[in-house]
Amino acid sequence: MPEISGYAFPNDVHVHWSLMIVMYPYITGFVAGAFIVTALYHLFGKKEFEPVARLALATSFCFMAIATFPLNLHLGHAERAFNVVVTPHFSSAMAGFGLLYSGYFVILLLEVWFVYRREIIETARRSRGVKRAFYAALALGTYDTSPEALEVDHRAVKLLSAFGLPAACMLHGYVGFIFGGIKANPWWSTPLMPVIFLLSAAVSGIALLVLLYQVTAKLGRRPIERETVQAMARWLWFFLILTVTLELLEIVLLAYENSDAWHIISQLLTTRLEFSFISVQMIGGSLVPFILLAIVVTMNAYLHDRVRNTLASVASLLLLVQVFSMRWNVVIGGQLLSKSFRGLRSGYQPSLFGREGVIVAIALFVLPFVLLWVFDRVLPIERAAPPAEPSREPAAEPARRTA
Amino acid sequence: MDETESDARAPAPPPAPEPVGRREFLANALRLGGGVLVFLSGAPALGEDHVAEGYDWTQHRYAYLIDTEKCIGCGSCVRACKAENGVPDGFFRTWVERYVVSPEASHVDSPKGGLDGFPPIQTPFTPTKSFFVPKMCNHCKETPCVQVCPVGASYRTQDGLVLVDAERCIGCGYCVQACPYGSRFLSPTTHTAEKCTWCYHRVTKGLKPACVEVCPTATRQFGDMRREDDPVRLAIAHGRVSVLQPHLLTEPQCFYLGLDKEVR
Amino acid sequence: MESARHVFRVLFLLLVVVVIFSVGRTFLVPKSYGAYGPYRFDNVAEQAAVRPPQHGGSASCGACHAERLKAVTAGAHRKVGCEVCHAPLARHVRDGARSAPMPVDRSFTLCARCHRRIEGRPAAFPQIVLAQHQGGVEGTACIDCHEPHSPKL
């Protein structure tokens, strides 16, 4: 039994939304964040992002493929999950999930298909037997690679990015809405919530790509482009500043307005969430990477590639932790305070084993990377023969694996 | 509270059509989305109004009245609720809170929801007043729990109860988070949302909810707003009643007499 | 147009998926769903019949124990239902016949739930401070001296 300080409503002592509901926005955050990176290239013509555009698309796709897993693991009746699309009750923020999720998934599938269509066809032409049949099926039986057809593909990708970006933003903004729309819970109920979720999604997505890009470049023995790392670091810095500003604003507003819940929320932050909010989310996860990225952004000209890559990698790792702790502090933190506004329950420790346990959560985080590897086998993320570039100084920093 | 007034206004002829307010209209428009989908999918034939033998749900609209000045904190209601509904251990469809208050400080407790009554208590301050407050599902008219249910498993009946369809509930827990009163929980046995039903299996047979049946001091009263001479209706219509957390505009149908500012 | 054939193919595939889903879905919507709103109407009747009522009320006890009920309704405990101190009727009677003995709780705790003086009770309600109570020692059954069905103060 959890310990209660003060008075909590007797039904308010359970953390029904467990580690899996922390994992869900964490994972969809990567979906949205990685898609923003692809869009920066496809839509906004940021050429520096060219080397990560396909990786970002693949990452977004792989995280999307498992995004429903944590939800189904959490549901009391996962076998009824389809009720959400069979009898959606549209006054619920959750009911739109079926539409948003499948809509975005379709966009992502189509975009991957259009981006890879030429290569799919070429592979089909080159292979025999089962492999040929597989790629022929993937190509939907049309082998048109005329310049006009490729131009159609190109425009399709652009159009899909244009729809995909708002769809990705809505998919993740809606996750924030699920929390922001609960007027019963003062720690959740703020219109800032969807925005904070969205911005931190961008942070986590870019941070993950900073790491993935360097790891895959190492593994593929490709040079790490200075401009790409630099550009990602700059955008990461920008989104970090926005996120943390809003995260702090939310709290400062509560305090300044002396909201009816402020006395309990201030207790929550300084006792139950002291470590995960103040130490991890704000200091270790925000202040430190802010400084590291500031060095990368403002002192670009003076930095050795190795230093820049290291700084960006460390900052990215810390930001991955920051975003996780932010999800944790919102989801779990909101359930530690009772709606009586008079009591807090003791901190929540997820079980190690079990359906909603730590091991499953780690597996969930590793799974998209496995999928990414499979994806790369089927549809190579790096183009087959990149034009040979004069090899630049080997960046020696062995970027860490995040999983 | 305009809806409350419309309820209390006049002895409405039984199946009085409710005036459609703007908010209601918007809500209906929102619901229409789902409704159209249902219609397209081969709308079900309108079932009979029969929900139980000899019971027409359009002839009733229930309300609950709690007179906090009468409550002695015996916890009989909590025990009766558990026996009547098989409420799982550690979870509560109803519970009783004790407030011990001085102008400077206050203390609230509810050991086991009041299931075994209340023990004597020592507070670090000298109390100037103290009282018990029974709590339960408020069966709100503008209920946040029904609003957030993604699959239409939570709903409000025409006789004014908020119920959960345990066969359709997916156990997502969103309604539990959305209830400002802490009246819902996920049952550890069925893994679906569970809450007070005002003992629907009793009231449809003309009985009172179990908690009302056993209350020795008539703190808890159950009434029918569609009956002109109903004492609960009269008390709500003419007395000064309040509801919990009125600022959330959930329009609770549990009304309180003698509610203190300390109570949330 | 010729060069966009693959686009039409993929759109057609998408359409097929949507149609299959929409048709499949109609088989999964419960019959009474939406009859009165976005919920399964059949559940209302199910809830009404979810279990037989457990508490019968004092009148139902009076069907067999008329004398006892008369004594209670004449005394200070007239507003206290039989099932408050005993147990729900269903534990004692099934299908109109006695199925098990009614539990009788003679403990001090039972009386103390209502009558021990604690913080919270209305001042006018009869309450006992054990230390000031004649012969009162915790552990002694109150009903050794007091008649529970019609106590005298």
Side-chain angles (χ1 to χ4, degrees), chain B residues 31 37-38 40-52 57 69-74 76 79-81 83-86 93 98-100 115-121 127 129-132 151-158 163-168 197 200-202 204-205 207 210 213-217, chain C residues 21-23 25-60 76-91 109-123 125-127 138:
Chain B
R31 276 175 210 126
L37 278 178
V38 169
L40 288 178
S41 65
L46 281 191
E48 289 168 43
D49 285 9
H50 254 336
V51 292
W57 71 343
E69 314 224 18
K70 288 184 184 162
C71 185
I72 57 168
C74 63
S76 302
R79 289 189 295 282
C81 179
E84 184 72 37
N85 297 298
R93 290 188 179 199
R98 169 166 63 181
Y99 289 74
V100 182
L115 186 69
D116 300 328
F118 286 78
I121 191 176
K129 62 180 170 185
S130 60
F131 48 88
F132 294 100
V151 296
S154 275
Y155 58 94
R156 190 160 183 271
T157 63
Q158 304 214 336
L163 298 176
V164 185
D165 183 347
E167 268 182 39
R168 293 206 66 73
T197 60
Y200 201 55
H201 62 291
R202 297 174 59 86
T204 45
K205 296 178 181 72
L207 300 167
E213 180 65 51
V214 301
C215 181
T217 60
Chain C
F21 168 75
S22 316
V23 173
R25 187 185 154 269
T26 57
F27 294 101
L28 295 172
V29 178
K31 226 186 201 150
S32 68
Y33 192 92
Y36 287 90
Y39 60 92
R40 190 172 62 93
F41 173 61
D42 283 351
N43 183 247
V44 183
E46 288 165 20
Q47 297 257 3
V50 67
R51 65 177 69 80
Q54 304 293 300
H55 291 77
S58 296
S60 65
H77 271 169
R78 62 187 165 278
K79 284 181 183 162
V80 183
C82 310
E83 290 159 310
V84 175
C85 302
H86 294 284
L89 180 75
R91 202 171 294 173
T109 333
L110 178 78
C111 308
R113 269 183 201 142
C114 295
H115 291 294
R116 181 178 207 167
R117 179 173 293 284
I118 55 166
E119 212 49 81
R121 298 210 216 280
F125 187 77
Q127 297 163 69
E138 188 154 355

Side-chain angles (χ1 to χ4, degrees), chain B residues 104-118:
Chain B
E104 288 76 34
S106 63
H107 174 91
V108 186
D109 66 345
S110 180
K112 287 171 88 180
L115 186 69
D116 300 328
F118 286 78

Side-chain angles (χ1 to χ4, degrees), chain A residues 307-372:
Chain A
V307 177
R308 176 185 306 105
N309 292 347
T310 309
L311 286 176
S313 301
V314 173
S316 296
L317 264 181
L318 287 174
L319 285 173
L320 288 183
V321 176
Q322 195 267 1
V323 175
F324 183 82
S325 64
M326 176 264 173
R327 311 297 196 226
W328 174 278
N329 290 330
V330 170
V331 176
I332 304 297
Q335 297 172 85
L336 297 184
L337 76 93
S338 170
K339 292 158 189 160
S340 68
F341 288 11
R342 282 176 176 273
L344 298 171
R345 58 155 276 166
S346 51
Y348 165 72
Q349 262 108 33
S351 61
L352 186 58
F353 306 101
R355 210 160 64 120
E356 301 187 54
V358 176
I359 289 175
V360 174
I362 293 172
L364 272 177
F365 187 70
V366 174
L367 196 54
F369 298 101
V370 177
L371 283 181
L372 200 60

Side-chain angles (χ1 to χ4, degrees), chain A residues 132-312:
Chain A
R132 187 191 175 95
F134 174 71
Y135 281 95
L138 270 190
L140 297 182
T142 59
Y143 281 45
D144 188 357
T145 51
S146 63
E148 297 80 36
L150 292 182
E151 179 53 31
V152 169
D153 288 354
H154 188 70
R155 270 187 306 190
V157 168
K158 199 141 208 175
L159 188 72
L160 285 168
S161 293
F163 280 111
L165 186 61
C169 291
M170 275 166 72
L171 181 74
H172 203 69
Y174 126 90
V175 176
F177 189 96
I178 283 185
F179 296 97
I182 296 297
K183 64 180 168 188
N185 192 320
W187 182 229
W188 290 346
S189 171
T190 157
L192 284 180
M193 201 51 92
V195 190
I196 294 176
F197 265 74
L198 195 52
L199 290 171
S200 58
V203 169
S204 68
I206 300 173
L208 182 68
L209 280 165
V210 168
L211 294 166
L212 260 183
Y213 171 61
Q214 298 187 52
V215 171
T216 51
K218 289 264 150 198
L219 292 177
R221 297 174 191 287
R222 286 183 302 274
I224 297 169
E225 302 288 337
R226 174 187 301 168
E227 286 71 31
T228 305
V229 175
Q230 177 65 25
M232 286 202 284
R234 205 180 310 125
W235 282 91
L236 192 52
W237 196 52
F238 172 66
F239 280 117
L240 168 65
I241 292 171
L242 287 184
T243 310
V244 176
T245 308
L246 290 188
E247 282 170 11
L248 284 174
L249 260 182
E250 185 205 336
I251 294 161
V252 172
L253 264 176
L254 277 174
Y256 189 78
E257 285 184 344
N258 196 15
S259 117
D260 56 349
W262 173 242
H263 71 276
I264 194 76
I265 287 177
S266 59
Q267 270 183 54
L268 177 74
L269 292 178
T270 51
T271 60
R272 301 297 190 272
L273 301 183
E274 190 188 19
F275 175 70
S276 62
F277 184 78
I278 299 176
S279 308
V280 180
Q281 189 183 336
M282 282 303 155
I283 298 171
S286 301
L287 187 63
V288 176
F290 170 77
I291 296 168
L292 296 182
L293 290 171
I295 297 171
V296 175
V297 172
T298 58
M299 297 170 62
N300 183 28
Y302 311 102
L303 292 182
H304 192 280
D305 277 357
R306 210 165 143 174
V307 177
R308 176 185 306 105
N309 292 347
T310 309
L311 286 176

Side-chain angles (χ1 to χ4, degrees), chain B residues 123-229:
Chain B
T123 49
F125 55 91
T126 313
T128 50
K129 62 180 170 185
S130 60
F131 48 88
F132 294 100
V133 180
K135 294 263 189 93
M136 60 198 293
C137 171
N138 287 286
H139 295 270
C140 307
K141 265 190 177 165
E142 291 295 332
T143 171
C145 56
V146 171
Q147 182 192 23
V148 301
C149 176
V151 296
S154 275
Y155 58 94
R156 190 160 183 271
T157 63
Q158 304 214 336
D159 37 4
L161 288 89
V162 176
L163 298 176
V164 185
D165 183 347
E167 268 182 39
R168 293 206 66 73
C169 176
I170 58 175
C172 67
Y174 203 10
C175 55
V176 179
Q177 309 290 1
C179 173
Y181 308 102
S183 305
R184 286 178 171 242
F185 55 89
L186 284 179
S187 162
T189 47
T190 63
H191 304 291
T192 55
E194 193 183 310
K195 62 181 280 298
C196 159
T197 60
W198 273 349
C199 288
Y200 201 55
H201 62 291
R202 297 174 59 86
V203 299
T204 45
K205 296 178 181 72
L207 300 167
K208 289 181 230 160
C211 50
V212 177
E213 180 65 51
V214 301
C215 181
T217 60
T219 300
R220 292 171 173 262
Q221 295 175 60
F222 189 65
D224 189 343
M225 300 301 275
R226 291 228 195 268
R227 264 182 42 217
E228 215 180 306
D229 55 344

